[in-house]
């Protein structure tokens, strides 16, 4: 005789409703899975996401001026944008100059203003040195120290720097600045570097993606159509570069392509080139393109291969038997089936190429530098860390959009290594 | 892909052209890596084959660059090679110190990345994992985010927390960079994992720990080891983070190479490169053997 179902629906042996018991068991399983992931998630949040967050903060936050010039910050707060600096403003400036002289922070403040108005760092250090002798009326006294103190543009820059939170580094990273009236304008022609470099980075990355596709497609096709025992053997040609140190591969290209290198020697020995007309193939854009194509080629071949391998050859055979030429069969039947692989490989190569640093730095010369190299330059040489952070944030934004696209179209689960 | 008998002449020509093109691309892939090996035995300070080398004259070849590699940075490199010389070598050789640093940093970051990564992969491969896709995206992101951005962020973070110029800082950073590789390889191994095996173990009375170490671990071990090797190689080849956050005496092999290439490139760099190529060949062989073993274990291929 079948058991009578309880009035409230099905129950477990100990009398709890089945629905609730199931939900509890599922929640427990969920928790258990999550607990396994938790340590790593916490680790990545602290060791990776937090530093990136700090970088983003650094790109909009620079307290060098606001922390050290309290009186002037106060004056800017009380007087709205557009009000001309009066005697009280100059008095505030004079008291702050005395303060930065005492705290020895004139260099820090001057550097901050100098980022936006070149040539003003020395103005601050010089005036701070003479600050003790300043007497009212301060306006005349300061203008006597340096006429630049009357420049409305300088006052505009100081006003924008008086807030620790600023967008001026993003403006600078996009070749923009504020003029004396606070409007956003483009910087002078000869100082426009960043947009050009962003464009060059995108262009070179696209070019490298295309060359890796052109070189990777035939090879992946060959590997996918050969019997496994041959293709596994030939796969070594793809995987060995993949496993070899980046610096080794870059060094090899320097050795091969330099003007006294193997390729030039070969061309001269075979009489193609005249000994006096060796081609400059390294330390310029050509060097960057060749070396990066070589380094990123495995990232194109592997996704292509994993899509091409399971394609059933009978489709192409069927097309041929129905009268299609081999070109038509390839174009109409085979190529459409490889689109997911092309998409995955191209996106991956492009994402990696956009942020490349080491290879362009070593073989790029001056024309083969990418945006990453400029970030490194501002971090290590010019020490304008906020600008470096703003450039990095813009690059990061672009890469994350591409990454999101990759996840949507390909899925990160399908990322394969060898 | 053999050519069918009925192929036309044009198809035949195209087929062989295609094979030649493929051969050239393979040459493009492999030649730059192999070319450094003979050149590292050059007796002259050039980056090209001398006449003597081409005539296979033994005088054209020498081990001088390997010797320079050993003696670089030593106090008395020209002394007689007795015990004192070897002690000097052990203590002062710049490349040896770089190798030691690389191994120490690589070892600890690999352990950290593999332990955390394997644990997380086990959780991520469970069907009931909540927010799987989003969490996976975060965990893989260190591989996607340009290294210069990571290094810049770490530079700010480490100067704030005091981890700059410490081994701990570099190890943590390298572990972060290696983790995506561990996750990808281990989850790939777990795709074919038969969960009824763990249930069988549990029904026979095994504790979760016993089940993990006796059942799960042996089956996913090949994936874990290849993940670990990936993590090690990532650390062993990493230069940008080291450039940004490491102190001068924390030079690693890639960092030392970086200096060598930027300042005065000499064939000694090629000697290092040759050694690294040999190491990567060994690693690749290991990975390949592991992959086959894993496929055999999971019954994916007959071989």
């Amino acid at each position: 005789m079948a058991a009578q179902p309880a009035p409230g629906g099905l129950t477990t042996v100990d009398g709890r409703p089945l629905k609730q018991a199931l939900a509890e068991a599922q929640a427990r399983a969920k928790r258990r899975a999550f607990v396994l992931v938790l340590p790593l998630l916490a680790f990545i949040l602290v060791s990776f996401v937090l530093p990136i967050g700090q970088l983003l903060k650094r790109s909009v936050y620079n307290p060098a001026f606001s922390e050290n010039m309290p009186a002037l910050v106060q004056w800017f707060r009380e007087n709205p944008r557009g009000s001309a600096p009066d005697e009280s403003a100059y008095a505030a400036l004079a008291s702050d100059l005395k303060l930065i002289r005492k705290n020895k922070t004139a260099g820090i403040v001057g550097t901050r203003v100098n980022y936006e108005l070149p040539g003003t760092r020395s103005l601050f250090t010089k005036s701070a040195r003479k600050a003790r002798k300043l007497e009212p009326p301060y306006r005349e006294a300061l203008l006597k120290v340096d006429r630049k103190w009357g420049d409305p543009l300088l006052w505009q820059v100081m006003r924008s720097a008086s807030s620790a939170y600023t967008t001026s580094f993003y403006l600078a990273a996009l070749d923009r600045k504020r003029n004396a009236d606070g409007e956003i304008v483009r910087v002078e022609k000869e100082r426009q570097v960043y947009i050009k470099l962003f464009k060059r980075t995108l262009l070179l990355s696209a070019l490298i993606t295309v060359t890796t596709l052109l070189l990777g497609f035939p090879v992946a096709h060959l590997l996918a159509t050969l019997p496994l025992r041959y293709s596994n053997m030939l796969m070594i040609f793809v995987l060995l570069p993949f496993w070899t140190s980046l610096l080794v591969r870059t060094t090899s290209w320097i050795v091969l392509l330099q003007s006294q290198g193997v390729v030039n020697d070969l061309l001269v020995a075979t009489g193609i080139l005249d000994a006096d007309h060796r081609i400059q193939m390294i330390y310029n854009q050509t060097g960057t393109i060749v070396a990066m194509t070589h380094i990123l080629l495995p990232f194109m071949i592997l996704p292509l291969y994993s899509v091409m391998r399971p394609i059933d050859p009978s489709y192409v055979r069927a097309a041929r038997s129905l009268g299609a030429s081999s070109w038509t069969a390839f174009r109409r039947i085979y190529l459409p089936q490889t689109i997911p692989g092309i998409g995955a490989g191209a996106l991956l190569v492009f994402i990696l190429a956009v942020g490349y640093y080491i290879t362009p730095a070593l073989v790029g010369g001056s024309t083969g530098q990418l945006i990453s190299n400029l970030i490194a330059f501002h971090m290590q040489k010019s020490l304008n860390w906020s600008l470096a952070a703003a450039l990095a944030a813009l690059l990061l934004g672009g890469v994350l959009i591409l990454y999101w696209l990759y996840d949507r179209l390909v899925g990160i689960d399908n990322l394969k290594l060898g | 892909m053999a050519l069918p008998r009925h192929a036309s002449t044009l198809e035949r020509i195209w087929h062989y052209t295609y094979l030649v093109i493929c051969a050239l691309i393979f040459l493009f892939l492999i030649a730059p890596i192999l070319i450094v090996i003979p050149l590292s035995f050059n007796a002259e300070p050039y980056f090209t084959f001398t006449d003597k080398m081409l005539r296979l004259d033994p005088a054209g070849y020498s081990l001088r660059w390997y010797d320079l590699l050993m003696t670089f940075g030593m106090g008395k490199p020209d002394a007689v090679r007795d015990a004192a010389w070897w002690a000097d070598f052990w203590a002062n050789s710049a490349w040896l110190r770089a190798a030691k640093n690389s191994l120490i940093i690589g070892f600890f970051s690999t352990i950290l990345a593999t332990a955390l990564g394997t644990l997380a992969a086990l959780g991520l491969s469970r069907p009931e994992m909540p927010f799987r896709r989003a969490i996976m995206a975060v965990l893989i992101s260190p591989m996607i985010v340009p290294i210069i951005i990571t290094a810049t962020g770490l530079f700010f973070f480490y100067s704030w927390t005091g981890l700059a110029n410490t081994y701990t800082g570099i190890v943590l950073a390298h572990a972060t960079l290696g983790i995506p590789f561990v996750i990808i390889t281990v989850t790939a191994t777990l795709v074919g994992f038969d969960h009824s095996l763990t249930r069988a173990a549990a029904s026979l009375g095994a504790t979760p720990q016993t089940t993990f170490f006796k059942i799960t671990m042996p089956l996913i071990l090949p994936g874990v080891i290849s993940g670990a090797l990936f993590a090690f190689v990532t650390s062993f080849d990493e230069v940008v983070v080291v450039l940004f956050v490491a102190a001068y005496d924390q030079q690693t092999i890639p960092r030392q190479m970086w200096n060598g290439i930027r300042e005065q490139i000499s064939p000694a760099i090629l000697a290092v490169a040759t050694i690294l190529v040999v190491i990567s060949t060994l690693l690749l062989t290991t990975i390949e053997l592991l992959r086959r073993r894993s496929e055999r274990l999971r019954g994916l291929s007959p071989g």
Side-chain angles (χ1 to χ4, degrees), chain B residues 221-269:
Chain B
L221 198 60
V224 174
I225 295 177
S226 17
L229 286 178
F230 265 111
F232 183 78
V233 168
T234 309
S235 163
F236 203 71
D237 193 23
E238 204 290 320
V239 60
V240 184
V241 170
V242 176
L243 273 174
F244 272 65
V245 304
Y248 185 74
D249 59 339
Q250 289 161 339
Q251 301 266 4
T252 57
I253 290 180
R255 175 71 219 271
Q256 190 86 11
M257 277 188 87
W258 173 273
N259 286 353
I261 299 171
R262 290 213 110 175
E263 285 152 21
Q264 184 62 59
I265 181 162
S266 85
I269 294 287

Side-chain angles (χ1 to χ4, degrees), chain A residues 3-188:
Chain A
Q4 283 295 314
L10 293 170
T11 60
T12 57
V13 178
D14 50 353
R16 288 186 302 156
L18 188 60
K19 206 171 173 184
Q20 185 196 343
L22 254 177
E24 273 169 24
Q26 262 166 3
R28 203 161 49 237
K30 248 186 197 175
R31 263 201 310 279
R32 204 173 287 159
F34 192 70
V35 163
L36 284 172
V37 182
L38 198 61
L40 181 62
L41 193 60
F43 179 78
I44 291 283
L45 285 179
V46 172
S47 72
F48 184 72
V49 179
L50 196 63
I52 300 277
Q54 237 174 359
L55 171 121
L56 294 179
K57 184 184 169 198
R58 179 70 76 145
S59 68
V60 293
Y61 180 79
N62 190 321
F65 191 92
S66 58
E67 269 179 1
N68 296 310
M69 305 280 277
L72 207 52
V73 170
Q74 181 71 21
W75 187 86
F76 281 126
R77 199 169 299 148
E78 285 161 2
N79 295 273
R81 186 178 288 275
S83 43
D86 52 12
E87 179 60 21
S88 67
Y90 281 98
L93 176 61
S95 99
D96 279 342
L97 285 174
K98 283 172 192 159
L99 187 72
I100 58 173
R101 163 78 176 161
K102 204 177 87 208
N103 296 341
K104 299 193 171 64
T105 49
I108 299 172
V109 175
T111 307
R112 167 70 185 90
V113 177
N114 196 62
Y115 288 152
E116 290 177 57
L117 200 61
T120 44
R121 189 179 183 278
S122 59
L123 175 68
F124 277 85
T125 49
K126 183 179 75 179
S127 307
R129 239 186 346 264
K130 296 178 181 164
R132 212 175 320 162
K133 289 188 210 124
L134 291 174
E135 298 283 342
Y138 288 114
R139 188 181 141 82
E140 279 70 38
L142 276 161
L143 286 178
K144 221 168 83 191
V145 173
D146 199 310
R147 295 219 46 86
K148 276 192 206 154
W149 285 118
D151 185 358
L153 189 58
L154 174 66
W155 282 88
Q156 163 58 33
V157 169
M158 286 201 295
R159 177 183 283 281
S160 99
S162 71
S163 156
Y165 288 93
T166 171
T167 53
S168 55
F169 295 107
Y170 280 97
L171 290 179
L174 293 169
D175 288 337
R176 302 287 197 279
K177 64 172 183 187
R178 283 182 196 281
N179 64 9
D181 303 326
E183 291 159 350
I184 297 170
V185 292
R186 294 199 72 151
V187 297
E188 301 79 27

Side-chain angles (χ1 to χ4, degrees), chain A residues 245-255 258 280-284 287-288 291-292 295 356-366 368-370 373, chain B residues 237 239-240 243 254-265 269:
Chain A
S245 162
L246 200 70
L247 285 165
V248 169
R249 284 180 278 170
T250 308
T251 314
S252 312
W253 281 110
I254 297 177
V255 168
Q258 63 177 297
Q280 182 67 36
M281 289 180 284
I282 202 89
Y283 306 124
N284 55 22
T288 304
M292 280 179 69
I295 289 166
Y356 236 64
Y357 169 65
I358 297 170
T359 308
L362 291 176
V363 304
S366 61
Q369 302 288 306
L370 304 182
N373 304 95
Chain B
D237 193 23
V239 60
V240 184
L243 273 174
R255 175 71 219 271
Q256 190 86 11
M257 277 188 87
W258 173 273
N259 286 353
I261 299 171
R262 290 213 110 175
E263 285 152 21
Q264 184 62 59
I265 181 162
I269 294 287

Side-chain angles (χ1 to χ4, degrees), chain B residues 71-140:
Chain B
T71 54
F72 184 70
M74 278 173 61
K76 288 195 183 73
D78 301 323
V80 190
R81 304 208 164 178
D82 52 9
W85 188 88
W86 284 103
D88 187 11
F89 166 69
W90 183 253
N92 293 324
S93 169
W95 284 99
L96 187 70
R97 187 164 59 235
K100 285 185 206 161
N101 277 333
S102 276
L103 285 176
I104 294 170
I105 293 166
F107 178 77
F108 286 107
S109 57
T110 304
I111 299 276
L112 191 60
T114 313
L116 288 173
T118 307
L119 210 60
L122 286 171
L124 285 170
S125 63
R126 292 192 178 195
E128 60 269 15
M129 177 69 200
F131 314 113
R132 187 171 179 282
R133 212 179 164 126
I135 290 178
M136 189 91 169
V138 172
L139 297 183
I140 302 291

Side-chain angles (χ1 to χ4, degrees), chain A residues 30 40 47 54 215 218 221-222 225 241 243 245-247 251-252 258 265 294 320 361 403 407 412-413 415, chain B residues 1 11 18 25 28-29 32-33 47-48 128 132-133 137 143 152 157 160 176 179 237 239 254 261-262 280:
Chain A
K30 248 186 197 175
L40 181 62
S47 72
Q54 237 174 359
L215 295 180
H221 179 252
L222 182 75
T225 44
W243 276 90
S245 162
L246 200 70
L247 285 165
T251 314
S252 312
Q258 63 177 297
D265 276 5
H294 178 250
R320 295 302 307 277
Y403 183 41
D407 189 27
I412 350 170
D413 300 18
L415 212 58
Chain B
M1 49 171 289
E11 278 173 354
Y18 168 69
I25 298 171
F28 172 74
L29 273 166
I33 290 165
F47 288 108
T48 189
E128 60 269 15
R132 187 171 179 282
R133 212 179 164 126
M143 196 175 100
T152 307
F157 182 63
W160 178 55
T176 309
I179 277 165
D237 193 23
V239 60
I261 299 171
R262 290 213 110 175
S280 55

